[in-house]
């Protein structure tokens, strides 16, 4: 793959942007109002209306792989990362997105959830972030800021030091992000805001719960609706801070989710320290997509995504296939960063297609599910799904879908189109051959 290059219209290259990447946690395709969600999301609706919605944006079925791919430009399976994980994800010498951007003058910060190494000595500042704050591990209790019971329960930190704070996790992340943003002057910045919302457990402020539409009656489901609305409020506050500081015009804003929703997630999950959580299901919706978090059907890996850059991106819908690994090559191109060596990016610089400077290009994307128990390859409109049914190769289940005519994966065509299965299977084997070649073994 060619290394990062400026591929814009020669007569009008865009200026180097600030980059704000907002990532929700476990938000489903059907959770936002502009996808017919059941709670209002006016700020995300506005972002989608003012920006370019990527209608075929792919991530991983669970959180850590998506995060590792975003910040490396590589498939997460190259690092052996396929599950949510607390061990360190990257080799120490990995050229991450913040490391790359720092070399061309960017300031970098992470405010939110890291989950690529849950000890302070494995934290964000060890991999290129000037400032880091939030959960070193995964989703946390909203008020006690505790991760799952065990070695990494205490996880809330600022700049590599574990701390104790009061306040709701969504508000704390929002405040920190705004405070950092408002303190910037002069240099371009990369601000990464991976919220823990809308991940369980949740206990939302009564004022927000009272705003949930009355037709949602189950108490735990009302908590979920309030969580989505709280996230939307926070996105609005961060966007308002961009406007207030005069940075909005030259800031590329991306919003997405790390994976699809898990509709039956229990708000009173016993893996977390108890803190008066409303018992019952508190998961989102991927409708009308098939499947959910943890699986490689569309509901697990096909997420909402919006890009907004006033004057540089025309509002509307982008129909091309995009992958979370594309953002590092794209941001690097916009920032003017050229790698000194081949970084083995799996992602592509998609700016020329997003901006309309170049037509859409056919492509393939590969995704390994948790524990490599399922893998999928999308090649054009064809999608191959391979699920391991046992320990032997001959135990695998093979499915083939034509997403162009069947976006909801209702009809398995593997028996009718064996020649396509054979071609895609060979391609998947070729692409997956490089898995685990960059595991953190040093």
């Amino acid at each position: 793959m060619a290394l990062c290059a400026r591929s814009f219209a020669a007569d009008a290259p865009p200026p180097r942007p600030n980059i704000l990447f907002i990532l929700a946690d476990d938000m489903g395709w059907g959770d936002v109002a502009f996808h017919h969600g059941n709670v209002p999301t006016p700020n995300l609706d506005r972002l989608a209306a003012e920006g370019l919605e990527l209608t075929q944006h792919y991530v991983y079925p669970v959180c850590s792989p998506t995060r590792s791919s975003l910040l490396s430009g590589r498939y997460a399976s190259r690092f052996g990362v396929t599950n949510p994980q607390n061990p360190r994800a990257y080799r120490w010498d990995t050229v991450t997105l913040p490391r790359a951007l720092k070399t061309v003058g960017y300031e970098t910060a992470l405010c939110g959830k890291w989950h690529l190494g849950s000890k302070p000595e494995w934290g964000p500042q060890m991999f290129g972030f000037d400032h880091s704050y939030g959960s070193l591990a995964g989703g946390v209790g909203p008020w006690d800021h505790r991760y799952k019971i065990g070695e990494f329960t205490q996880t809330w930190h600022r700049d590599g030091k574990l701390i104790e704070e009061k306040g709701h996790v969504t508000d704390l992340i929002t405040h920190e992000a705004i405070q950092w943003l408002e303190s910037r002057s002069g240099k371009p910045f990369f601000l990464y805001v991976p919220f823990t919302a809308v991940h369980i457990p949740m206990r939302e402020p009564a004022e927000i719960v009272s705003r949930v539409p009355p037709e949602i009656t189950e108490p735990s489901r009302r908590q979920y609706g309030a969580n989505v609305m709280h996230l939307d409020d926070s996105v609005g506050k961060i966007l308002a801070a961009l406007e207030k500081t005069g940075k909005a015009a030259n800031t590329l804003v991306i919003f997405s989710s790390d994976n699809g929703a898990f509709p039956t997630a229990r708000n009173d999950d016993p893996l977390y320290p108890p803190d008066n959580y409303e018992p019952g299901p508190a998961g989102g919706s991927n409708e009308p997509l098939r499947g959910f978090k943890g699986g490689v059907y569309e509901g697990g890996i096909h997420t909402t995504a919006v890009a907004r850059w006033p004057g540089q991106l025309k509002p509307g819908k982008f129909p091309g296939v995009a992958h979370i690994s594309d953002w590092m090559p794209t941001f690097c191109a916009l920032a003017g960063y050229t790698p000194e060596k081949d970084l083995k990016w799996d992602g592509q610089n998609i700016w020329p297609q997003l901006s309309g400077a170049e037509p859409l290009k056919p492509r393939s994307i590969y995704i390994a599910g948790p524990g490599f128990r399922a893998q999928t390859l999308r090649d054009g409109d064809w999608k191959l799904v391979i699920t391991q049914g046992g320990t032997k190769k001959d135990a695998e289940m093979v499915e083939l879908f034509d997403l162009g005519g069947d976006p909801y994966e209702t009809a398995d065509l593997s028996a009718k189109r064996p020649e396509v299965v054979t071609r895609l299977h060979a391609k998947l084997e070729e692409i997956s051959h490089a898995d685990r070649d960059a595991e953190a073994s040093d």
Side-chain angles (χ1 to χ4, degrees):
M1 179 178 296
L3 294 183
C4 192
R6 297 183 69 87
S7 303
F8 323 114
D11 58 340
R16 297 201 307 164
N18 304 311
I19 300 166
L20 168 61
F21 200 108
I22 302 173
L23 191 68
D25 195 344
D26 285 10
M27 174 175 269
W29 175 268
D31 282 336
V32 291
F34 61 90
H35 287 169
H36 310 292
N38 62 0
V39 299
T41 53
N43 295 294
L44 291 172
D45 294 355
R46 174 194 160 202
L47 187 66
E50 296 176 347
L52 184 66
E53 182 185 358
L54 284 69
T55 60
Q56 298 194 82
H57 183 264
Y58 286 87
V59 295
Y60 284 85
V62 288
C63 62
S64 295
T66 292
R67 295 158 202 274
S68 67
S69 188
L70 166 66
L71 298 179
S72 69
R74 304 198 67 195
Y75 291 145
S77 49
R78 306 312 194 205
F79 302 94
V81 177
T82 64
N83 289 296
Q85 68 173 63
N86 293 307
R88 174 168 55 94
Y90 296 133
R91 291 179 57 90
W92 289 118
D93 61 354
T94 301
V95 179
T96 61
L97 175 58
R99 277 178 170 166
L101 294 178
K102 279 171 63 69
T103 68
V104 290
Y106 275 67
E107 297 178 307
T108 61
L110 180 153
C111 300
K113 170 180 165 180
W114 169 240
H115 217 182
L116 294 175
S118 300
K119 292 183 178 180
E121 58 266 32
W122 299 336
Q125 287 177 291
M126 304 302 292
F127 294 95
F129 284 101
D130 297 320
H131 173 62
S132 66
Y133 170 83
S135 172
L136 288 167
V140 297
W143 299 98
D144 66 7
H145 316 141
R146 292 295 193 262
Y147 181 57
K148 296 176 182 178
I149 297 169
E151 180 181 1
F152 304 104
T153 301
Q154 188 175 0
T155 188
W156 203 249
H157 81 107
R158 176 179 282 110
D159 292 332
K161 294 183 179 180
L162 296 176
I163 59 173
E164 297 286 347
E165 285 188 310
K166 292 183 179 180
H168 191 284
V169 60
T170 302
D171 295 329
L172 292 175
I173 291 171
T174 304
H175 178 266
E176 189 81 9
I178 291 173
Q179 188 175 54
W180 189 87
L181 187 157
E182 290 181 340
S183 69
R184 300 305 97 196
S185 62
K187 292 184 177 181
F189 63 79
F190 169 49
L191 174 56
Y192 175 37
V193 189
F195 281 98
T196 61
V198 288
H199 196 292
I200 59 164
M202 51 194 71
R203 182 158 60 86
E204 291 296 314
E207 181 275 326
I208 301 179
V209 176
S210 71
R211 290 160 42 200
V212 174
E215 55 266 28
I216 301 175
T217 58
E218 191 170 3
S220 60
R221 296 289 188 191
R222 291 185 64 79
Q223 286 291 321
Y224 187 84
N227 203 340
V228 172
M229 294 167 66
H230 200 168
L231 172 65
D232 182 79
D233 290 347
S234 292
V235 170
K237 291 176 182 178
I238 295 172
L239 296 180
L242 278 179
E243 296 284 352
K244 176 184 175 182
T245 57
K247 297 179 172 70
N250 195 37
T251 300
L252 172 56
V253 179
I254 309 293
F255 175 84
S256 189
S257 179
D258 63 348
N259 47 251
F262 192 62
T264 59
R266 298 288 303 184
N267 194 39
D268 52 341
D269 188 333
L271 294 178
Y272 289 87
D275 194 20
N276 297 315
Y277 299 120
E278 193 73 58
S285 169
N286 302 310
E287 294 181 356
L289 303 179
R290 175 183 180 181
F292 43 82
K293 175 183 178 179
V296 297
Y297 295 122
E298 295 291 285
I301 59 176
H302 184 164
T303 59
T304 297
V306 176
R308 189 194 74 174
W309 187 2
Q312 300 294 338
L313 282 176
K314 184 178 179 180
K317 294 184 184 294
F318 176 72
V321 174
H323 186 263
I324 191 71
S325 63
D326 294 337
W327 292 115
M328 180 170 180
T330 301
F331 295 156
C332 285
L334 291 167
Y337 169 82
T338 301
E340 295 179 355
K341 61 180 182 179
D342 185 354
L343 299 182
K344 300 180 181 179
W345 282 333
D346 297 295
Q348 303 176 9
N349 171 19
I350 58 173
W351 178 257
Q353 288 78 47
L354 292 177
S355 64
E358 293 183 9
L360 299 181
K361 299 178 180 179
R363 67 178 301 189
S364 300
I365 58 169
Y366 158 68
I367 296 172
F372 294 93
R373 293 184 297 276
Q375 296 170 293
T376 187
L377 177 77
R378 175 160 181 174
D379 187 67
D381 283 338
W382 290 113
K383 179 179 177 181
L384 181 72
V385 175
I386 298 179
T387 305
Q388 300 299 329
T391 58
K392 295 182 179 180
K393 187 99 173 179
D394 59 7
E396 69 184 21
M397 180 177 70
V398 177
E399 297 170 285
L400 179 69
F401 303 101
D402 176 7
L403 296 183
D406 180 25
Y408 308 136
E409 301 170 297
T410 62
D412 175 16
L413 302 178
S414 59
K416 294 182 179 179
R417 299 298 303 271
E419 78 286 359
V420 178
V421 171
T422 299
R423 177 175 64 83
L424 266 58
H425 202 300
K427 194 167 188 175
L428 185 150
E429 290 288 332
E430 179 183 0
I431 295 175
S432 66
H433 185 70
D435 283 350
R436 301 184 179 91
D437 76 339
E439 289 186 72
S441 58
D442 56 341

